[in-house]
Amino acid sequence: MTSIRIMMCLVFAVVVATPASIEAQDLVEIRTSEGRIVAEVYPQQAPITVTNFMDYVDDQLFDGGSFFRVVRPDNQPDDSVRIDVIQGGPDRSISRERYRPAIPLERTRDTGLLHRDGTLSMARAGPDTARAQFFICVGDQPSLDFGGARNADGQGFAAFGRVIEGMDVVRRIQDGAAEGQQLVASVAIESVRRLEAGR
């Protein structure tokens, strides 16, 4: 009987420790010139950020965009806190009138979504300035969470999703030839679309 109770306690502890409340309700497919990336997004945890991102998806404003920036250990000589990410967004020549207003920063402190390997998050300057550019983490990046040292304001970035297929594509983009942090040849985003579960 004691062993059964112990087993039940262990199961309960695992359930409590697992972020069961983090439920993906949307899947997106990012088709690039380097291959296909599939990500899940978390509207329950980061509703403002996910709604903003999916609005760009539904209006097909990422189509014709690119991954244009890679940040990795060899191209951050002036940064004491280094990260590994790829950054992309809509075609930078499109009219700014087509962009949505900047959104409030949903901090990792509040959402519980941390910057782990494959995390999707919004690029920003100051807090509440994110619009359309996003990045994907390559490896765990805790310095991008709330309280992290990558940004001097300590507010972190708004994580909102995670790659579930195609991290090989992400890493291939990350390894591309770059001048500073700009890819010599940007990687085209051909389309970004919602996917049905089971795809």
Side-chain angles (χ1 to χ4, degrees):
M1 191 67 173
T2 301
S3 61
I4 293 175
R5 286 178 180 170
I6 292 172
M7 183 63 71
M8 290 179 67
C9 288
L10 287 173
V11 170
F12 178 75
V14 169
V15 170
V16 169
T18 302
S21 60
I22 298 178
E23 298 178 1
Q25 293 187 358
D26 293 296
L27 294 174
V28 293
E29 177 190 59
I30 305 170
R31 287 197 173 271
T32 81
S33 55
E34 284 291 334
R36 175 177 182 261
I37 301 166
V38 176
E40 57 187 20
V41 295
Y42 307 114
Q44 291 184 354
Q45 284 68 37
I48 296 171
T49 309
V50 169
T51 297
N52 177 72
F53 183 81
M54 298 305 287
D55 281 348
Y56 281 94
V57 170
D58 292 339
D59 285 350
Q60 301 183 10
L61 291 178
F62 289 122
D63 297 13
S66 66
F67 286 103
F68 57 88
R69 182 181 180 221
V70 295
V71 188
R72 58 197 187 203
D74 68 346
N75 63 12
Q76 301 170 82
D78 300 325
D79 293 306
S80 58
V81 179
R82 298 183 178 182
I83 58 172
D84 277 284
V85 303
I86 65 172
Q87 183 174 334
D91 182 342
R92 288 182 285 178
S93 70
I94 68 172
S95 168
R96 299 299 289 180
E97 294 176 356
R98 300 185 69 189
Y99 282 70
R100 279 134 185 83
I103 57 174
L105 174 61
E106 292 182 303
R107 295 162 176 80
T108 60
R109 171 197 64 192
D110 303 321
T111 65
L113 301 174
L114 303 180
H115 289 84
R116 304 303 191 202
D117 187 36
T119 293
L120 272 69
S121 190
M122 295 302 295
R124 68 171 181 87
D128 306 334
T129 62
R131 299 183 77 176
Q133 291 187 8
F134 64 97
F135 61 87
I136 302 174
C137 294
V138 182
D140 293 350
Q141 307 298 325
S143 67
L144 299 175
D145 296 333
F146 179 81
R150 176 63 180 191
N151 195 305
D153 61 32
Q155 299 301 299
F157 295 78
F160 66 93
R162 181 178 66 90
V163 173
I164 58 172
E165 293 179 24
M167 278 304 293
D168 57 326
V169 176
V170 173
R171 291 188 170 89
R172 193 155 59 244
I173 295 171
Q174 175 77 341
D175 290 339
E179 293 181 353
Q181 296 179 0
Q182 301 296 306
L183 284 170
V184 172
S186 60
V187 173
I189 296 176
E190 297 166 353
S191 66
V192 184
R193 296 288 185 276
R194 291 179 185 261
L195 283 181
E196 296 296 327
R199 55 201 184 283

